[in-house]
Amino acid sequence: WVWCSSGKNLHLWNISLEEAKIEVFKTLEMPREGASFVESRKDGKIFVVGAWDGTVRVYRWKKPLKLANLSFSEDLVNCISFNPDESRG
């Protein structure tokens, strides 16, 4: 799970239903404040963050690391969606 906010930090959480335990396992700092949306790809390998500065940041889940910073707009990014048809590139 990823939690985003108006601050610079993204908090990645481990959630164990069996142990009724929730803990932050990694905190990533963004270059500027404000994230409005997070979406994880179906295969669980990457997640993306829509930011208030109009960028989409791409991160990998395994050993969390930023992979790309995409600039599409000067307005905040409210929604992100992966292609549900995995057979298409």
Side-chain angles (χ1 to χ4, degrees), residues 30-37 49-58 68-80:
M30 296 191 309
R32 286 176 288 288
E33 293 181 339
S36 55
F37 195 85
V49 177
W52 292 359
D53 63 3
T55 61
V56 174
R57 294 180 178 91
V58 182
N69 194 51
L70 311 170
S71 296
F72 295 110
S73 150
E74 292 184 15
D75 293 324
L76 67 95
V77 177
N78 280 324
C79 185
I80 302 166

Side-chain angles (χ1 to χ4, degrees), residues 18-46:
E18 294 82 25
E19 299 175 22
K21 186 176 174 182
I22 300 174
E23 63 184 2
V24 173
F25 76 89
K26 182 80 174 181
T27 298
L28 302 170
E29 186 173 335
M30 296 191 309
R32 286 176 288 288
E33 293 181 339
S36 55
F37 195 85
V38 176
E39 179 72 17
S40 184
R41 197 167 67 183
K42 188 177 179 180
D43 65 7
K45 292 183 179 181
I46 64 171

